[in-house]
C-alpha cells in the first residue's frame, strides 16, 4: 500500500486509491450509519439501508483515477487518516445530494439519483435495522424533523465524536451552505444528553449493517408469479397459432395484462393468532384479525373500495400529517365485526390505521377515519377506538392486554374499575371525555400487559377525542430526589404520578390532534416567600405521531389551581434531548405583595433575571419583589458551564 502523501498546490492532500479503500473498509459501519441517518426519512427503512450501503460502496474513485484531492484542508483533519476523511466527505456529499432535483425536473418523478441503478440489490426480502426501544424511537422522530445537514452534523459530532472544527470543514466541503448553523442546531438538539445520544446513535435502531430480514408481500409475489406464467402461456399459444396460420390479425392478438389492480380481500395480511407472544416487535404488525366478520369478503371489499375511491357522500377524517391515499399491498386486517349498529373494519398499512364503518341498516353513508400510527410499541399499539357514540366509546384491546380497568384521572385516590371485554377484545361502552363537559372527570384506561411478553407492566392511556383512533400514552417523571437518580419517565400508575396527573388532566383538552404520548415532569419545587408554602413546577410534553412536540409549563401554588405559564411548539424541551428547563411567572402573596418567581430543573445552579427586574440567585429557584404584570427575561446557569433560556412565556391573566 502506498503511504506517502502528496499535496495539491493549495495545501490539500492527494489521496491514493489504496488509501481510500483502506479508509472505507476500516470505517465501513460508521460511514453506512452516517449515510443512513443523513438520507431523507421519507424513504422506507429497506430503501434507506440499501441506498446507504450503495453510497458508501460508490465512494471510491473510479478505477481509472489513480488519486484524488481531499477538499478538507490537511490541518483541519485532526489525527484522522487522510483516506478515512476523504471517503467520509464523499459519502456525506452523496447523501446530502440524494434528494436534489434540477429545476426542470418533474415534481412527480423521484430525484435523478434515486433512479440511478445502484448495488447492492436484494430480491424477495425486506431489510431493516433491528427495532430499538422507546428512547431510540424518540431520537429517530426528533431527527426526522431536521434538515439533512443538521442530521449529518448531529451524527458527525455525536456518533463519530469529531471536533467542531472538523465537522464544519466536512460540511462545507460537502456543499453545505451554512455549516455553523447546522452544527449549532444539532448541538441544541441534545446538549443536555450528549452521552445518551452517543449511546443511542450506536444502538441497533440506527445500525444499517446489522439488519433483520422479512419476506416481501408473499401474496403479491404469488399473484405476479401466476401472472408471469399466464402471460408466458399466452405468448406460447400465440406463437403456435402464428406458426400454424402464418399470420395474425389485430383482433386475434391477446391483450396484455398491465399491473396487478387494486388491493382485494385476498391480498390482506393476516397475522398468526399467537405471533404477538413470540416476536420482538410488539406493535400493530403482531395483531391477529379478530371479529365476527373477518371472513366476510363483501364487507372487506367494500371497505377497501371505499378507501381506494371514496364516494362523495363518505365522511372522512384524518389526524394532522396523515395521508389518505389508497391501500398499498401488505395492508393488514386487524378487525372486522359489528359494533353499536355498524359494521366496522380496522386496517393497518404500516404507517396508518384506518377505520371503515357502515350502518347495518341500508342507506346511510360510510365513514373513513385515518390515523398515523407508525413506530408504535407495546403501549401505543395497545388499544384502538373501534366505535364512538354520543358520550361513550368502545375500544379494541391488543391481544397482549391481560387486564383492563377504567379510572378517573381527577380522583387519584379512587381505584380503577374492571372493564368487561368480549372474547374478540372489544370493551363495554365507556364514558368518553366529551361527556365530561366542564372537566368534572377525565376517564383513562389502566391496562396491564400479559406476562407472556417481555415488557410486562401496567400503564395508562386516555382517548383525547377528535379524529385520532389511538389513545395517548400517559407517563410521569418525578421531582428530583424522589427515587429518580436521573430524569427518566415512568408509567403513571404510582401514587405520586396519579396525584400529579390529577393537577394536569384537564389540560389535555388543550392539546392538538394526533398526540402519541404525554409526559408530566415535576421538574422543580419552590418554597414561596412570606411562608406561602411549596409550589410545584411541571412541564407537560405532548409528542405527536408526526414527531414534533408541544410543551407547556404549569405552576401550582398551595390552595390554587394549576395554571399554564409557558408554552412552546416544535421544541425538544422537556424531552430526553432537552433536559434543562427554566421558567418564570408572577405570584401574589396573601399580603398582597407581588413577586417574580423562577425555577429550573436539576442541573440549574443559578438563575438570572434581566429587563424590568434585575436579580440573581444561586440554586434552582429565584423569588424577588416585582410589580404585578412584570415580564423579565430569565436565564439559568448550568452545572458544568453553559446557560439556557426559559421556555416561551404564555400570556398571563
Amino acid at each position: 500500500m502506498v503511504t506517502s502523501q502528496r499535496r495539491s498546490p493549495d495545501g490539500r492532500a492527494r489521496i491514493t486509491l489504496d488509501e481510500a479503500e483502506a479508509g472505507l473498509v476500516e470505517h465501513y459501519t460508521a460511514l453506512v450509519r452516517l449515510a443512513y441517518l443523513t438520507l431523507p426519512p421519507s424513504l422506507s427503512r429497506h430503501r434507506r439501508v440499501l441506498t446507504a450501503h450503495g453510497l458508501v460502496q460508490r465512494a471510491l474513485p473510479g478505477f481509472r483515477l489513480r488519486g484524488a484531492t481531499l477538499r478538507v484542508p490537511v490541518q483541519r483533519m485532526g489525527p484522522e487518516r487522510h483516506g478515512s476523511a476523504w471517503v467520509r466527505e464523499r459519502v456525506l456529499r452523496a447523501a446530502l445530494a440524494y434528494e436534489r432535483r434540477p429545476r426542470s425536473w418533474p415534481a412527480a418523478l423521484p430525484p435523478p439519483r434515486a433512479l440511478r441503478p445502484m448495488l447492492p440489490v436484494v430480491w424477495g426480502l425486506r431489510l431493516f435495522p433491528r427495532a430499538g426501544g422507546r428512547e431510540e424511537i424518540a431520537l429517530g422522530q426528533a431527527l426526522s424533523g431536521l434538515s439533512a445537514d443538521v442530521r449529518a452534523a448531529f451524527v458527525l459530532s455525536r456518533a463519530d465524536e469529531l471536533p467542531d472544527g472538523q465537522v464544519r470543514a466536512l460540511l462545507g466541503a460537502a456543499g453545505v451552505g451554512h455549516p455553523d448553523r447546522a452544527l449549532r442546531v444539532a448541538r441544541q438538539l441534545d446538549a443536555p444528553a450528549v452521552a445518551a445520544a452517543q449511546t443511542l446513535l450506536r444502538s441497533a435502531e440506527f445500525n444499517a449493517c446489522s439488519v433483520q430480514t422479512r419476506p416481501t408481500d408473499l401474496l403479491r409475489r404469488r399473484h405476479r408469479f401466476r401472472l408471469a406464467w399466464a402471460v408466458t402461456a399466452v405468448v406460447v399459444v400465440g406463437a403456435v397459432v402464428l406458426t400454424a396460420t402464418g399470420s395474425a390479425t389485430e383482433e386475434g392478438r391477446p391483450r396484455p395484462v398491465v399491473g396487478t389492480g387494486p388491493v382485494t380481500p385476498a391480498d390482506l395480511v393476516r397475522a398468526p393468532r399467537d405471533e404477538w407472544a413470540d416476536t420482538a416487535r410488539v406493535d400493530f404488525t403482531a395483531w391477529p384479525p379478530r371479529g365476527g366478520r373477518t371472513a366476510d369478503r363483501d364487507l372487506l371489499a367494500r371497505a377497501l373500495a371505499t378507501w381506494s375511491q371514496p364516494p362523495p357522500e363518505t365522511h372522512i377524517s384524518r389526524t394532522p400529517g396523515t395521508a389518505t391515499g389508497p391501500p398499498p399491498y401488505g395492508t393488514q386486517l386487524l378487525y372486522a365485526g359489528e359494533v353499536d349498529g355498524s359494521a366496522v373494519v380496522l386496517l393497518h398499512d404500516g404507517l396508518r390505521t384506518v377505520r371503515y364503518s357502515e350502518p347495518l341498516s341500508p342507506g346511510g353513508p360510510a365513514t373513513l377515519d385515518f390515523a398515523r400510527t407508525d413506530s408504535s410499541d407495546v403501549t401505543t399499539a395497545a388499544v384502538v377506538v373501534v366505535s364512538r357514540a354520543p358520550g361513550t366509546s368502545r375500544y379494541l384491546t391488543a391481544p397482549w392486554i391481560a387486564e383492563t380497568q377504567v379510572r378517573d384521572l381527577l380522583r387519584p385516590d379512587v381505584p380503577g374499575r374492571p372493564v368487561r371485554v368480549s372474547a374478540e377484545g372489544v370493551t363495554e361502552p365507556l364514558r368518553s371525555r366529551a361527556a365530561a363537559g366542564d372537566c368534572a372527570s377525565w376517564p383513562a384506561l389502566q391496562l396491564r400487559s400479559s406476562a407472556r411478553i417481555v415488557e410486562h407492566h401496567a400503564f395508562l392511556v386516555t382517548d383525547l377525542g377528535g379524529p385520532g383512533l389511538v389513545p395517548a400514552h400517559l407517563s410521569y417523571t418525578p421531582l428530583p430526589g424522589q427515587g429518580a437518580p436521573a430524569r427518566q419517565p415512568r408509567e403513571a400508575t404510582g401514587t405520586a404520578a396519579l396525584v400529579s396527573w390529577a393537577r394536569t388532566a384537564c389540560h389535555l383538552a388543550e392539546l392538538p390532534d394526533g398526540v402519541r404520548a404525554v409526559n408530566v415532569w415535576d421538574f422543580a419545587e419552590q418554597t414561596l416567600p412570606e411562608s406561602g408554602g411549596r409550589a410545584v413546577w411541571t412541564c407537560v410534553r405532548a409528542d405527536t405521531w408526526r414527531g414534533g412536540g408541544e410543551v407547556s409549563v404549569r405552576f401550582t401554588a398551595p390552595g390554587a389551581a394549576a395554571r399554564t405559564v409557558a408554552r412552546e411548539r416544535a421544541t425538544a424541551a422537556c424531552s430526553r434531548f432537552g433536559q434543562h428547563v427554566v421558567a418564570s411567572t408572577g405570584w401574589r402573596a396573601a399580603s398582597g405583595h407581588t413577586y417574580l418567581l423562577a425555577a429550573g430543573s436539576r442541573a440549574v445552579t443559578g438563575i438570572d433575571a434581566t429587563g424590568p427586574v434585575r436579580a440573581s440567585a444561586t440554586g434552582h429557584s429565584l423569588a424577588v419583589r416585582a410589580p404585578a404584570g412584570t415580564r423579565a427575561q430569565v436565564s439559568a446557569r448550568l452545572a458544568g458551564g453553559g446557560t439556557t433560556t426559559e421556555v416561551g412565556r404564555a400570556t398571563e391573566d
Side-chain angles (χ1 to χ4, degrees):
M1 177 180 293
V2 180
T3 57
S4 62
Q5 296 294 332
R6 292 176 293 170
R7 304 271 182 102
S8 61
D10 60 356
R12 301 175 189 268
R14 295 280 296 173
I15 307 301
T16 67
L17 181 59
D18 289 339
E19 290 173 321
E21 183 180 11
L24 186 148
V25 173
E26 181 180 359
H27 299 285
Y28 187 82
T29 299
L31 292 170
V32 171
R33 178 179 57 218
L34 172 62
Y36 180 79
L37 290 172
T38 304
L39 286 168
S42 57
L43 295 175
S44 66
R45 291 192 294 172
H46 171 80
R47 178 52 52 196
R48 270 205 292 167
V49 167
L50 293 180
T51 304
H53 283 273
L55 294 180
V56 174
Q57 293 174 17
R58 289 172 61 94
L60 290 178
F63 291 106
R64 295 182 180 180
L65 183 63
R66 305 184 62 86
T69 301
L70 179 65
R71 292 185 176 88
V72 182
V74 176
Q75 64 270 22
R76 302 191 66 175
M77 290 194 307
E80 188 174 37
R81 286 184 180 181
H82 295 174
S84 302
W86 186 87
V87 173
R88 181 183 283 115
E89 177 206 317
R90 290 264 297 186
V91 171
L92 180 59
R93 176 179 289 272
L96 290 171
Y98 185 81
E99 273 197 315
R100 291 176 187 164
R101 302 168 182 261
R103 291 186 178 180
S104 59
W105 192 259
L109 292 179
R113 289 178 178 267
L115 300 176
R116 183 183 304 172
M118 183 184 300
L119 294 176
V121 176
V122 176
W123 295 94
L125 288 175
R126 306 292 292 177
L127 308 180
F128 51 90
R130 298 178 181 274
R134 191 175 306 160
E135 296 170 354
E136 286 87 347
I137 292 175
L139 177 57
Q141 291 179 332
L143 290 174
S144 67
L146 302 175
S147 59
D149 56 344
V150 176
R151 292 196 302 271
F154 186 80
V155 177
L156 292 171
S157 61
R158 293 303 181 227
D160 297 342
E161 300 185 61
L162 299 183
D164 289 355
Q166 192 171 347
V167 173
R168 294 188 186 94
L170 276 169
L171 292 174
V176 175
H178 302 283
D180 288 332
R181 174 196 165 277
L183 183 59
R184 183 173 64 255
V185 175
R187 290 292 191 188
Q188 291 175 351
L189 176 66
D190 75 326
V194 174
Q198 291 171 343
T199 302
L200 294 177
L201 283 174
R202 297 191 182 105
S203 67
E205 174 81 12
F206 307 109
N207 186 359
C209 289
S210 177
V211 298
Q212 291 179 308
T213 61
R214 281 194 177 183
T216 54
D217 188 345
L218 298 178
L219 290 174
R220 186 178 185 181
R221 191 194 306 176
R222 184 175 64 178
H223 292 164
R224 287 178 171 175
F225 184 75
R226 290 176 176 175
L227 178 62
W229 273 110
V231 172
T232 302
V234 170
V235 171
V236 171
V237 172
V240 172
V241 172
L242 286 174
T243 302
T245 62
S247 63
T249 63
E250 283 293 325
E251 291 76 17
R253 294 178 185 174
R255 295 183 64 185
V257 180
V258 180
T260 56
V263 178
T264 68
D267 298 321
L268 292 175
V269 175
R270 298 170 182 251
R273 180 160 294 275
D274 291 327
E275 179 175 315
W276 61 269
D278 190 27
T279 179
R281 185 177 179 183
V282 186
D283 57 13
F284 284 113
T285 61
W287 277 46
R290 290 174 290 170
R293 300 182 67 174
T294 55
D296 189 338
R297 296 177 63 88
D298 291 338
L299 172 62
L300 299 180
R302 289 195 300 273
L304 291 170
T306 304
W307 182 357
S308 299
Q309 292 184 330
E313 66 274 11
T314 305
H315 299 307
I316 300 176
S317 71
R318 66 184 182 94
T319 54
T322 306
T324 58
Y329 280 91
T331 296
Q332 181 179 348
L333 176 62
L334 304 182
Y335 177 85
E338 297 180 1
V339 184
D340 294 335
S342 296
V344 178
V345 178
L346 288 175
L347 302 164
H348 179 67
D349 68 355
L351 180 66
R352 304 165 292 178
T353 295
V354 179
R355 181 179 63 188
Y356 167 85
S357 63
E358 62 180 29
L360 294 177
S361 56
T367 300
L368 272 179
D369 300 301
F370 295 84
R372 185 169 172 177
T373 54
D374 54 316
S375 300
S376 57
D377 57 22
V378 66
T379 57
T380 53
V383 63
V384 173
V385 178
V386 71
S387 173
R388 280 198 177 103
T392 63
S393 297
R394 288 182 187 263
Y395 304 92
L396 179 65
T397 58
W400 57 82
I401 297 302
E403 180 183 340
T404 304
Q405 295 184 344
V406 63
R407 68 179 309 141
D408 186 356
L409 288 180
L410 299 185
R411 293 167 178 79
D413 53 338
V414 177
R417 173 183 68 81
V419 174
R420 296 191 306 274
V421 181
S422 71
E424 300 172 346
V426 179
T427 69
E428 63 179 285
L430 298 175
R431 190 165 182 260
S432 63
R433 78 166 185 93
D438 58 354
C439 198
S441 66
W442 194 285
L445 292 176
Q446 182 165 313
L447 308 172
R448 181 175 296 278
S449 55
S450 169
R452 297 173 64 186
I453 65 174
V454 175
E455 297 187 57
H456 168 55
H457 65 297
F459 54 94
L460 288 181
V461 297
T462 186
D463 180 16
L464 300 180
L469 299 177
V470 179
H473 175 218
L474 307 181
S475 58
Y476 171 68
T477 305
L479 282 164
Q482 293 189 359
R487 189 210 166 279
Q488 184 67 37
R490 56 186 64 181
E491 299 302 343
T493 53
T495 301
L498 293 173
V499 170
S500 183
W501 265 108
R503 299 192 300 261
T504 311
C506 291
H507 172 67
L508 292 171
E510 304 172 12
L511 298 180
D513 293 330
V515 170
R516 170 195 179 101
V518 186
N519 180 63
V520 167
W521 175 24
D522 291 336
F523 67 87
E525 192 174 34
Q526 180 177 17
T527 300
L528 298 176
E530 302 184 20
S531 302
R534 298 185 68 81
V536 176
W537 295 79
T538 303
C539 188
V540 182
R541 179 176 178 86
D543 289 301
T544 67
W545 288 98
R546 291 174 292 168
E550 176 178 303
V551 163
S552 298
V553 176
R554 293 171 64 79
F555 174 80
T556 308
R563 56 188 174 92
T564 300
V565 299
R567 180 178 285 114
E568 190 169 336
R569 297 178 183 270
T571 176
C574 302
S575 72
R576 176 69 184 272
F577 312 105
Q579 298 188 20
H580 301 333
V581 181
V582 64
S584 65
T585 186
W587 177 75
R588 185 183 298 274
S591 64
H593 297 153
T594 55
Y595 290 83
L596 172 68
L597 304 180
S601 53
R602 180 194 302 266
V604 170
T605 59
I607 297 177
D608 300 308
T610 58
V613 177
R614 304 186 65 86
S616 181
T618 58
H620 300 284
S621 61
L622 175 146
V624 59
R625 288 277 297 273
T630 299
R631 298 180 66 89
Q633 289 76 50
V634 173
S635 62
R637 302 185 298 276
L638 305 176
T643 61
T644 187
T645 56
E646 63 180 323
V647 178
R649 287 281 294 273
T651 302
E652 299 180 17
D653 297 333

